[in-house]
Amino acid sequence: MDAQTHEVTKLLLAVFNGDEAAANQLWDAVYQELQRIAHRELRGERLGHTLNTTALVNEVYLKLVDQKMQVPLQNRRHFFALACRAMRQILVNHARARNARKRAGRKHEVSLIEAGEIPVKRDEDLLALDEALTRLEAWEPRQAQVIELRFFGGYSMKEIAGILGIGIRTAQLDWEKARTYLYRDLRSDA
Amino acid sequence: MDATPYDRRREIDALFGQALDRRPEERRAFLEDRCAEDSDLLHEVERLLVDHGAAEGFLDDRRAWFDTSRLRGLIGEEDDAAANRAGQRVGLYRIVEPLGRGGMGTVFLAERDDGQFEKRVALKVIKRGMDTDAIRRRFRYERQILARLEHPNIARLLDGGVTEDGLPYFVMEYVRGEPIDQYCDRKQLALDDRLRLFLTVCEAVQYAHRNLVVHRDLKPSNILVAEPASARTRAGRVKLLDFGIARLLDDPEQAETLPMTRTGLGWMTPSYAAPEQIRGNPVTTTTDVYALGMILYELLTGHRPYQIRGLTPSEVERVVCERMPAKPSTAVIRAESGTDEVRTPQTTPEAVSRLRSTEPDRLRRWLKGDLDNIILKALRKEPDRRYSSVEQFAEDLRRHREKRPVLARKPTRRYRLSRFVRRHRIEVTAAVLVVLSLIGGLVGTLWQAYRATEALHKVEELADIGLSYNVANKAGTLQEQQLDLSLLLSVQALRFAETYEARDRLLAGLQANPHLVGYFGKQAEIAALSPDRAVLATSHADSTIRLWDARTRRPFGSPLTAAPARVALLTRFPNNESLVFSPDGALLAASLEDSTIRLWEVHSGRFLGPLETGDPLNPGLAFSPDGTQVAAGSAVDGSVILWEVDTRQRVGAFSTGFELKTTNLAFSPEGTVLTAWGASKRAPPGEPPRLQSILLSWNVATRRRIGPPLIDHAWFGTQAFSPDGAVWVTGAAGGTSLVLREPTTGRPLGQPLVGFTSPVQHLAFSPDSTVLAKSHADSTIRLWNARTGRLLTGQYTAKGIEALAFSTDGGAVIVEEENGLVFWEIDTQQKAFYLNGRSFLHHQPLEPGSLRFLLKEQGKITLVDFAKSQAIGQLKATAPRASGEIARTALDPAEKRLALGYDDGTVVLWDVVADRPAGESLSGLIGSLSHLAFSPDGTALAASSEAGRFVLWDVATRGYRGELQTGPNRLWGLAFSPDGQALALADSSSIALLDAATLKPLHEPLADPVFGGGLGLAFSPDGKQLAAIVFTDEIEVVVWDLATREAIRQFRPSGAVGTMAFSPDGTLLALGTGSVAELWDVEMGHRLGDLPGGEEGGAEDIAFSPDGRLIATAHYDGTIRLWEVERRLRLGEPLKGHTSPVKSLAFSPDESKLYSADAGGAVGVWPVSLELWKTQACRLAHRNLTPAEWQTYIEGRTYQKTCPDLPNP
């Protein structure tokens, strides 16, 4: 078995021990692995597709968590939540880096790149959404998590309900509410 | 919205959710109803509903957000770099973009240009003006050393060379993060968090030092901290940059001739440079200690120790090399504006404190004392007066954090005591945790966590080491001494197990490896642990005494000198000690074989001298409880001599009047009374000479003897003080009575304890001084009320009792018997635990709650499997009916009746209490019984048959409440809803929900073209879901949401399911298949794992214990197995007794019994102690789980119940 897998699985188990170092290492491992495979995916030939974040997160899970180690449910849930958070972080960090570069250097504005026929959101939009989500987090952590899992992670409501240990209906309501709050927040921003 | 107060927001959010949960056309009315008196609330929620409509589709367009072609741009590879070097190749690397500019040159982000695009690196191009040839030469020479530096907190130096335009460059691991000081301030980390982060830095530097690399240029900007892992984590991950770079750039020849040049060159940061660097003197590891001291100073205080901005080089030299920095605790009360590079424009005490999440006064108090001393010690001008290593520095910081004495302070005794007291203020619960923690010396944080469980796993780790030792020993790779000590410590830790449970768990941990071969001090003969558990002393056959840091298990200084002889090995006898720490732990006294007693200062290892006396001394000594005096017996005249510890001068003597060989010296708990046993061959005048043992006691203050000597004719008598000092109990050897005495007068308290025929051997008081345990030569142990002399009920037996003690919580009597240790639980009068080991522990039992484990002899000691699973139940009732095969059983919730359903359709009610049939058989069911169930209120019993017949009986009247015939289909499944209102029935084509009273359908059947009907049914405990074993090849179990009537979960078990059960909390579903019982997570729809059935096949029936922790499975081979749910561990041996396949199982609601019924008609009533099982589950879990898993384990479900003294998370 992969040593890293074993290591990460142990970290995942250790996190519930209040082991902060483990939490950090776990985050790093998940972040890095997710970033690695995200880059791999993006370097692939298939442009013009939507990044399948769900597949990426699932891949990270399968790669990093030893399926034989009997990881308790709550830890596994934690892993998915963590991975979706890392996904969000990666996407937002990229947007931020690119945005910063744009500001610093070229005036070449890329506000609406056409990719196929779908207008692509601007980096600023993603950053603003991230900030709004952070604000929402302070009030409604679970709602924010639902957004993270659905929007950044791409999970279905059923899967989200499973990951968060809540009912599907509750997850759906959280999504509806959170989306409204975010919409409202971003609109007032504009 | 953010301005809305929290409660208001909660209210709005809840109402918003409730409104959304309704049909759009109903929302208005709903809100008006709910907001009748709060029109603001109404409007707010209505606005939200409007926005909700507008937000429709928002964030659903993920493609627009996450389109790959654009994201690829985000990754940055196609981006043009702003800097002019972007795209340029340097060696194997291509520069991507500039990251920063520093004194040395520019740092770029670069990546391998040979296809290994994963490798992103930081590439430093050194600015012009440095001797490139020298650097290149040196790099070649040094790279071997630098390449060895592989540490998670050190950024690796990967490569180096000279660019095409002639500049030296270095390639390093690319690290994200921000300088440690900025990080700490931005996160507003509290001091302790900062310290912790800093300790990580120290570890990395230590590592480099061990590999002979000095950093020389440590500063906050070289210590990057990456973003925290998650919201619940505050500490980031540390990476040190530029290790070895300074050395590469440093030209030794130049340094010798032009000492000031380097400073003048400006690449070194003067603010953090040590005096020797400023002066151009040799740089050593202590230079890094200095820089770390500077960094810590700034991290903790927000100030730099010196103001050097704008100073000339010579002024800098004077300041750095001569001026004493202010104490950190003084620095924090300074207000400065715009200090040297300090980011906060205005450094005020308030601002500094705020960034550390505290107040100025607390900050100052926190720093005052230890931290002042530690930091200033690191910042000494003279390198050899600093900490000699980063390790020492870090260790002192750890000591401070753990509130142990620090080295940076003169270790006066008062100081040590004050540390001890402060420490114990925090420890609150249990010294054991500390001791257990110290076993885990490998991990410093253990101490902080005070978690017995973690420490326990350290013990397990040690046990593993013990095992691997056998392997490693052959290769000769492991340090024997270390292993000896670690195992010794494990045993020592038992001494301090504060509660019975803690000790129990510790032992369970120790036995993690049943065939562990432990080396309990192969060379050590005697061991003693200091009262503060910080130091372990061992005496050895080579006449050395060694001190060990009990936490790190490293030698604590050099072996103690000036011990001309071995420490005396004493007879196993209470209070007979030859290696003793003073009560404050500051001193160690040893009674040597040369008849002297010598004292050492523990902290320094300094030999203080022998106790002043002309006489040779008997072996054995005692400290007075206040630690100021030592008592030992003179070998010349049999008197007991008293010395003052500080001066080692004799301050008095207690005459015995006998030529006595004294042993077993003991002070009363308050120190007012001293007692000694002695042996005398010569009798007092007037009596014929013979061997006698004599017990004497004195008033310590007056040196007068208390009462007459108690003379015995055999060697051992017995005596003990109660822990509160109120009672002194004495007993003659071979005597059959004990006398409770008032210690200061020796006068008997009440009547002697009589009533036993066998001589008293051992004595122990419970910690609260109320219970006295005595063991007798007839292998019995009795408990007495130590106040009243009344015999308490309960008798415990043991074979060949060697020693006796109470657990510290008083909950158990601990007996060392012939073959091991037994823990008798006082409440239950049951053997709770058994440690089998052939008399390997040598101890002195008189101290309540502490068995003293010492080494009995040299050589190895074997711990064998001692946790035998115990008989925990038995088959009680048998065969209520001679013929027919029982298909199902059901237990009435009132627990009075068991319903037995036979294959022929007969149903018998069995009176469990009376253990006989309750009346005649119930009749009316036609066909082979398929299912049987009591209504939740116990008044009705329902049964179904394969002939499609359903009958509902009234249990009291035995009459029908109702019946149904469902046509040609077989009726398979039957279940009452938890509230008793509904009844679910399944046949092979549909599942019907009926009103339980009227048997009228509540809904349309849950017919499903795919799933068909059901074989078995189970309601979730909340009644909202229904699970069915369905007829299909693919999907075996389906869970319906009864509200929406939708199938929400589908499980595909490994085989055909015959039985199933919801866990009491509804989260798990246990499915019995032909080969295993499977556990599924209902919410996640995952298979969590299996309870293997083995050759006997899978579970015939499954029952969860009422608290959901245990599962019982019934098996075809007549066994019943118990499992722990969370980890799926099998508990104990299978319950045996049934001779036919066990068909049904039920727990009594109070968990006291498990009922079983087999196909042959036998009924088992297993008077199970689930608590015992659960305790066993705890032990098993301990054996099998990592610390982290264990933590998860105890946090799950209701485990605190049986693992009670674990800290609540």
Side-chain angles (χ1 to χ4, degrees):
Chain A
M1 182 189 46
D2 187 352
Q4 190 199 6
T5 303
H6 188 73
E7 194 47 45
V8 169
T9 311
K10 281 198 329 208
L11 289 174
L12 181 57
L13 293 166
V15 165
F16 280 80
N17 207 14
D19 185 340
E20 291 195 0
N24 284 337
Q25 288 171 32
L26 178 65
W27 169 261
D28 284 359
V30 171
Y31 187 96
Q32 282 163 18
E33 184 62 24
L34 195 56
Q35 191 170 47
R36 195 183 66 76
I37 62 174
H39 285 199
R40 180 206 63 200
E41 203 70 7
L42 289 168
R43 284 194 181 83
E45 294 302 308
R46 302 180 305 116
L47 288 188
H49 288 81
T50 305
L51 185 64
N52 189 344
T53 54
T54 319
L56 297 180
V57 168
N58 288 344
E59 183 178 339
V60 166
Y61 175 73
L62 290 172
K63 169 131 185 13
L64 292 184
V65 178
D66 183 1
Q67 306 302 311
K68 288 190 288 281
M69 271 175 79
Q70 304 186 342
V71 179
L73 176 64
Q74 57 172 329
N75 300 52
R76 282 181 284 130
R77 286 172 167 163
H78 175 75
F79 186 95
F80 282 105
L82 189 77
C84 286
R85 194 181 189 82
M87 195 72 241
R88 166 186 171 190
Q89 206 67 54
I90 287 167
L91 293 168
V92 168
N93 282 348
H94 288 324
R96 185 173 292 128
R98 183 182 161 97
N99 207 30
R101 255 177 267 136
K102 268 188 317 209
R103 282 174 197 277
R106 304 169 303 170
K107 283 290 159 199
H108 182 78
E109 186 51 68
V110 283
S111 63
L112 285 172
I113 296 173
E114 297 285 314
E117 290 165 7
I118 299 168
V120 172
K121 301 277 177 185
R122 292 176 305 153
D123 297 327
E124 286 87 343
D125 290 346
L126 192 61
L127 296 179
L129 174 67
D130 178 57
E131 283 164 19
L133 189 53
T134 306
R135 284 190 288 272
L136 179 64
E137 223 160 359
W139 288 102
E140 311 285 354
R142 196 183 66 201
Q143 287 180 19
Q145 240 184 334
V146 169
I147 294 283
E148 224 164 42
L149 292 165
R150 167 106 186 231
F151 180 70
F152 290 99
Y155 282 101
S156 72
M157 276 304 153
K158 192 175 153 192
E159 288 163 325
I160 290 168
I163 290 170
L164 294 179
I166 57 179
I168 295 178
R169 185 68 197 147
T170 309
Q172 183 69 39
L173 275 177
D174 274 358
W175 164 258
E176 299 285 346
K177 288 195 284 189
R179 190 165 67 164
T180 308
Y181 293 140
L182 289 174
Y183 177 81
R184 186 180 256 214
D185 187 347
L186 289 169
R187 195 188 49 187
S188 69
D189 246 19
Chain B
M1 171 75 58
D2 281 12
T4 317
Y6 184 79
D7 288 343
R8 183 66 170 178
R9 168 133 187 170
R10 289 264 66 76
E11 196 182 356
I12 293 168
D13 184 76
L15 206 54
F16 179 31
Q18 287 162 14
L20 284 179
D21 211 13
R22 284 170 167 71
R23 291 169 195 275
E25 60 271 22
E26 294 168 0
R27 286 174 185 165
R28 172 84 200 178
F30 166 74
L31 286 177
E32 281 174 348
D33 178 46
R34 293 291 300 271
C35 306
E37 273 126 44
D38 193 343
S39 61
D40 285 352
L41 184 64
L42 174 68
H43 291 135
E44 185 56 48
V45 177
E46 276 184 337
R47 274 197 297 274
L48 276 171
L49 286 171
V50 170
D51 283 343
H52 173 257
E56 182 73 40
F58 176 53
L59 300 182
D60 280 337
D61 50 344
R62 294 184 70 249
R63 186 174 176 197
W65 293 85
F66 302 129
D67 185 87
T68 47
S69 52
R70 202 187 68 91
L71 284 167
R72 181 159 163 175
L74 289 182
I75 303 283
E77 338 164 71
E78 293 170 351
D79 207 351
D80 297 335
N84 51 10
R85 278 190 186 274
Q88 186 184 325
R89 276 191 61 142
V90 176
L92 288 170
Y93 302 88
R94 190 164 48 81
I95 286 178
V96 176
E97 62 183 7
L99 287 171
R101 217 173 287 270
M104 268 194 248
T106 309
V107 188
F108 296 92
L109 176 65
E111 48 190 26
R112 286 282 291 237
D113 203 19
D114 57 359
Q116 296 185 33
F117 41 74
E118 311 294 355
K119 196 80 187 175
R120 293 166 82 79
V121 297
L123 192 144
K124 262 187 195 198
V125 180
I126 306 300
K127 65 185 179 189
R128 289 173 201 281
M130 309 201 76
D131 184 346
T132 52
D133 278 351
I135 290 172
R136 202 176 344 183
R137 272 200 313 274
R138 209 163 316 119
F139 183 80
R140 226 172 280 139
Y141 177 75
E142 299 269 10
R143 70 184 299 170
Q144 294 291 329
I145 296 172
L146 294 174
R148 273 214 311 262
L149 284 188
E150 281 197 52
H151 189 275
N153 300 115
I154 295 177
R156 288 192 63 188
L157 181 64
L158 302 165
D159 202 353
V162 176
T163 62
E164 283 171 1
D165 46 346
L167 297 179
Y169 71 87
F170 300 103
V171 181
M172 314 192 46
E173 181 185 345
Y174 172 50
V175 177
R176 286 169 204 275
E178 61 188 312
I180 188 168
D181 52 341
Q182 290 176 27
Y183 175 87
C184 288
D185 284 355
R186 186 174 58 77
K187 306 281 281 189
Q188 305 202 351
L189 291 189
L191 285 196
D192 198 55
D193 292 330
R194 288 171 185 242
L195 264 186
R196 215 152 26 149
L197 209 54
F198 181 78
L199 283 169
T200 314
V201 174
C202 288
E203 275 165 32
V205 177
Q206 244 170 272
Y207 169 83
H209 287 180
R210 277 202 299 277
N211 285 279
L212 308 176
V213 179
V214 180
H215 193 294
R216 300 181 185 210
D217 191 21
L218 285 168
K219 55 188 173 188
S221 59
N222 271 339
I223 303 170
L224 296 190
V225 185
E227 269 301 308
S230 67
R232 56 188 286 272
T233 318
R234 296 177 66 193
R237 180 155 173 200
V238 174
K239 280 270 191 191
L240 273 64
L241 309 182
D242 288 356
F243 245 109
I245 297 282
R247 171 146 112 172
L248 288 170
L249 297 179
D250 195 11
D251 188 331
E253 293 133 46
Q254 237 185 25
E256 276 160 30
T257 50
L258 297 164
M260 288 302 292
T261 315
R262 283 171 303 160
T263 317
L265 275 174
W267 63 262
M268 196 163 58
T269 319
S271 298
Y272 296 90
E276 63 268 25
Q277 284 173 299
I278 301 275
R279 289 190 166 129
N281 291 336
V283 165
T284 67
T285 52
T286 54
T287 308
D288 282 352
V289 170
Y290 180 91
L292 286 170
M294 294 287 286
I295 293 165
L296 183 60
Y297 194 110
E298 192 175 341
L299 285 180
L300 298 189
T301 67
H303 296 260
R304 296 237 176 112
Y306 316 110
Q307 298 294 317
I308 59 172
R309 190 175 53 161
L311 299 184
T312 65
S314 62
E315 285 168 334
V316 168
E317 179 179 355
R318 203 177 55 243
V319 168
V320 172
C321 299
E322 289 166 23
R323 190 189 298 167
M324 280 293 291
K327 283 185 194 170
S329 61
T330 312
V332 289
I333 55 173
R334 281 202 313 246
E336 290 166 13
S337 58
T339 55
D340 176 36
E341 289 176 45
V342 174
R343 252 144 253 92
T344 41
Q346 179 80 22
T347 312
T348 64
E350 290 71 28
V352 164
S353 309
R354 199 163 44 245
L355 290 173
R356 283 150 187 79
S357 299
T358 184
E359 285 94 53
D361 196 46
R362 293 185 62 179
L363 181 61
R364 187 182 55 77
R365 270 186 283 128
W366 210 84
L367 291 166
K368 196 171 164 60
D370 281 353
L371 284 175
D372 280 346
N373 292 324
I374 292 172
I375 293 172
L376 292 184
K377 185 174 165 91
L379 291 178
R380 296 265 161 81
K381 306 298 179 195
E382 310 86 341
D384 56 357
R385 288 191 59 204
R386 293 174 204 147
Y387 288 100
S388 59
S389 69
V390 176
E391 190 170 358
Q392 275 192 16
F393 181 24
E395 176 60 21
D396 234 9
L397 288 171
R398 275 190 287 267
R399 283 169 174 271
H400 165 75
R401 291 186 72 215
E402 292 149 11
K403 305 212 175 0
R404 291 185 294 143
V406 302
L407 296 169
R409 187 156 174 174
K410 200 176 164 212
T412 62
R413 184 178 306 170
R414 190 164 155 256
Y415 170 61
R416 290 180 63 84
L417 277 173
S418 82
R419 297 300 299 178
F420 190 78
V421 170
R422 281 171 72 176
R423 173 158 80 242
H424 282 78
R425 217 181 287 156
I426 298 171
E427 273 173 31
V428 193
T429 45
V432 58
L433 302 182
V434 178
V435 179
L436 296 183
S437 306
L438 65 83
I439 305 164
L442 304 167
V443 181
T445 53
L446 272 183
W447 192 280
Q448 199 62 22
Y450 296 122
R451 286 201 175 132
T453 49
E454 292 182 6
L456 177 62
H457 288 286
K458 286 295 140 196
V459 173
E460 288 182 335
E461 218 170 275
L462 295 172
D464 284 345
I465 292 171
L467 185 70
S468 56
Y469 173 73
N470 287 330
V471 181
N473 196 27
K474 285 174 190 151
T477 49
L478 277 178
Q479 292 279 321
E480 274 190 28
Q481 244 170 13
Q482 285 186 357
L483 289 164
D484 290 348
L485 190 68
S486 59
L487 286 162
L488 182 63
L489 273 174
S490 337
V491 173
Q492 283 288 346
L494 294 174
R495 272 178 70 170
F496 298 98
E498 191 75 2
T499 63
Y500 157 68
E501 284 84 0
R503 191 188 298 248
D504 189 0
R505 282 202 317 282
L506 183 62
L507 289 169
L510 269 175
Q511 59 103 44
N513 201 325
H515 41 278
L516 166 70
V517 177
Y519 291 76
F520 291 87
K522 203 165 182 182
Q523 297 119 1
E525 293 181 320
I526 300 173
L529 199 55
S530 67
D532 65 359
R533 289 100 181 179
V535 183
L536 177 77
T538 55
S539 79
H540 300 258
D542 61 2
S543 299
T544 57
I545 297 171
R546 290 162 198 266
L547 296 178
W548 308 81
D549 182 322
R551 200 172 60 81
T552 63
R553 298 177 298 140
R554 295 212 183 92
F556 188 86
S558 315
L560 299 182
T561 54
R566 294 205 304 188
V567 177
L569 287 167
L570 297 188
T571 323
R572 182 169 170 157
F573 202 115
N575 293 334
N576 215 9
E577 290 181 275
S578 54
L579 189 62
V580 187
F581 279 91
S582 61
D584 64 0
L587 303 177
L588 180 71
S591 175
L592 304 183
E593 286 188 341
D594 66 357
S595 303
T596 63
I597 290 175
R598 292 169 181 250
L599 295 177
W600 288 264
E601 188 177 83
V602 172
H603 185 71
S604 62
R606 193 161 60 92
F607 175 54
L608 298 174
L611 295 178
E612 300 292 343
T613 173
D615 297 348
L617 299 173
N618 288 326
L621 67 106
F623 273 97
S624 63
D626 65 1
T628 59
Q629 296 179 322
V630 168
S634 160
V636 175
D637 60 8
S639 64
V640 173
I641 305 173
L642 201 61
W643 291 266
E644 191 181 64
V645 169
D646 282 346
T647 61
R648 298 185 313 284
Q649 294 298 315
R650 179 178 163 142
V651 291
F654 304 94
S655 123
T656 57
F658 301 86
E659 191 183 298
L660 204 63
K661 184 171 165 59
T662 49
T663 57
N664 187 221
L665 297 163
F667 282 92
S668 66
E670 298 92 337
T672 54
V673 175
L674 174 69
T675 66
W677 274 98
S680 173
K681 278 182 187 167
R682 209 179 298 165
E687 286 188 32
R690 56 181 175 176
L691 183 72
Q692 293 175 326
S693 89
I694 299 167
L695 175 63
L696 299 156
S697 67
W698 296 270
N699 179 317
V700 174
T702 64
R703 318 251 193 274
R704 304 267 289 270
R705 227 171 51 209
I706 298 168
L710 301 166
I711 298 175
D712 204 339
H713 302 295
W715 178 239
F716 287 126
T718 185
Q719 65 135 338
F721 286 101
S722 66
D724 62 4
V727 178
W728 179 40
V729 59
T730 62
T736 54
S737 69
L738 286 174
V739 182
L740 300 173
R741 297 172 190 276
E742 204 282 301
T744 55
T745 60
R747 276 199 281 274
L749 291 164
Q751 295 297 309
L753 306 182
V754 291
F756 42 91
T757 53
S758 177
V760 176
Q761 284 184 323
H762 302 279
L763 276 179
F765 277 96
S766 67
D768 64 2
S769 303
T770 58
V771 182
L772 178 68
K774 304 189 275 69
S775 71
H776 307 277
D778 65 1
S779 298
T780 62
I781 295 158
R782 290 188 179 84
L783 303 184
W784 300 74
N785 184 314
R787 294 278 183 273
T788 63
R790 194 168 54 84
L791 180 66
L792 303 176
T793 56
Q795 179 170 314
Y796 313 90
T797 59
K799 282 180 213 156
I801 299 167
E802 305 255 14
L804 190 64
F806 276 85
S807 66
T808 315
D809 64 355
V813 180
I814 305 164
V815 188
E816 188 193 344
E817 56 168 29
E818 212 167 68
N819 292 315
L821 288 176
V822 182
F823 291 73
W824 282 100
E825 221 165 32
I826 291 173
D827 279 346
T828 61
Q829 298 184 18
Q830 283 183 340
K831 253 186 221 185
F833 200 79
Y834 192 78
L835 171 59
N836 189 358
R838 288 186 60 80
S839 169
F840 61 96
L841 301 166
H842 194 88
H843 57 225
Q844 301 181 334
L846 272 180
E847 230 175 283
S850 104
L851 281 173
R852 296 200 161 184
F853 299 101
L854 295 182
L855 305 166
K856 185 173 183 185
E857 56 192 9
Q858 299 179 41
K860 57 184 179 181
I861 290 131
T862 308
L863 270 178
V864 292
D865 185 11
F866 57 83
K868 298 253 186 292
S869 60
Q870 294 159 30
I872 44 181
Q874 58 186 332
L875 197 63
K876 188 185 164 203
T878 50
R881 185 163 173 269
S883 64
E885 187 163 293
I886 292 177
R888 295 279 178 178
T889 63
L891 180 69
D892 150 24
E895 211 195 320
K896 297 212 174 76
R897 289 188 182 84
L898 190 67
L900 306 168
Y902 289 81
D903 254 357
D904 62 3
T906 314
V907 175
V908 173
L909 281 173
W910 189 260
D911 185 323
V912 174
V913 180
D915 194 17
R916 58 179 162 74
E920 294 297 306
S921 304
L922 298 168
S923 56
L925 197 67
I926 300 158
S928 177
L929 184 131
S930 62
H931 219 102
L932 190 63
F934 275 102
S935 65
D937 63 4
T939 59
L941 180 66
S944 60
S945 78
E946 292 184 19
R949 179 92 171 154
F950 168 84
V951 178
L952 189 63
W953 289 286
D954 186 295
V955 172
T957 65
R958 299 174 169 271
Y960 280 9
R961 276 196 187 175
E963 59 179 317
L964 286 173
Q965 180 67 41
T966 59
N969 288 331
R970 291 172 166 190
L971 255 185
W972 286 110
L974 164 64
F976 279 97
S977 67
D979 62 4
Q981 301 291 309
L983 190 62
L985 277 175
D987 65 17
S988 44
S989 65
S990 70
I991 295 165
L993 278 168
L994 310 176
D995 183 305
T998 63
L999 299 186
K1000 294 271 190 293
L1002 288 170
H1003 299 283
E1004 288 299 300
L1006 284 170
D1008 188 300
V1010 179
F1011 303 135
L1015 264 172
L1017 292 171
F1019 277 93
S1020 65
D1022 62 5
K1024 291 179 178 160
Q1025 296 168 353
L1026 181 69
I1029 304 166
V1030 297
F1031 282 117
T1032 148
D1033 293 335
E1034 285 189 332
I1035 299 158
E1036 289 285 348
V1037 175
V1038 176
V1039 179
W1040 277 272
D1041 182 324
L1042 290 175
T1044 63
R1045 305 169 54 73
E1046 279 173 32
I1048 54 169
R1049 296 278 184 277
Q1050 301 159 17
F1051 305 104
R1052 288 182 183 80
S1054 60
V1057 179
T1059 180
M1060 68 179 164
F1062 267 101
S1063 64
D1065 64 359
T1067 59
L1068 304 177
L1069 197 56
L1071 309 176
T1073 72
S1075 54
V1076 294
E1078 300 178 356
L1079 279 178
W1080 289 75
D1081 184 288
V1082 176
E1083 282 271 347
M1084 296 277 278
H1086 287 185
R1087 181 167 165 188
L1088 291 172
D1090 299 339
L1091 312 176
E1095 290 172 14
E1096 311 79 27
E1100 298 280 313
D1101 196 18
I1102 297 174
F1104 276 91
S1105 67
D1107 70 355
R1109 278 192 58 183
L1110 304 180
I1111 281 182
T1113 53
H1115 296 268
Y1116 191 79
D1117 65 357
T1119 62
I1120 298 162
R1121 285 145 197 260
L1122 272 139
W1123 309 82
E1124 189 274 332
V1125 172
E1126 191 85 357
R1127 304 295 308 174
R1128 300 177 299 285
L1129 302 168
R1130 202 181 86 190
L1131 303 174
E1133 293 300 310
L1135 303 179
K1136 287 176 181 163
H1138 283 287
T1139 51
S1140 304
V1142 182
K1143 301 291 279 185
S1144 294
L1145 288 175
F1147 279 96
S1148 66
D1150 69 355
E1151 302 192 345
S1152 69
K1153 295 180 195 75
L1154 175 65
Y1155 298 94
S1156 59
D1158 69 25
V1163 175
V1165 181
W1166 306 81
V1168 297
S1169 163
L1170 287 195
E1171 282 311 305
L1172 194 57
W1173 264 331
K1174 286 169 193 166
T1175 307
Q1176 196 182 14
C1178 275
R1179 289 188 195 125
L1180 267 172
H1182 258 300
R1183 196 194 304 183
N1184 289 299
L1185 302 187
T1186 67
E1189 290 169 331
W1190 170 249
Q1191 193 59 32
T1192 313
Y1193 177 89
I1194 58 153
E1195 280 164 8
R1197 300 173 181 278
T1198 52
Y1199 289 71
Q1200 278 87 347
K1201 272 189 194 167
T1202 45
C1203 310
D1205 59 347
L1206 291 158
N1208 276 321

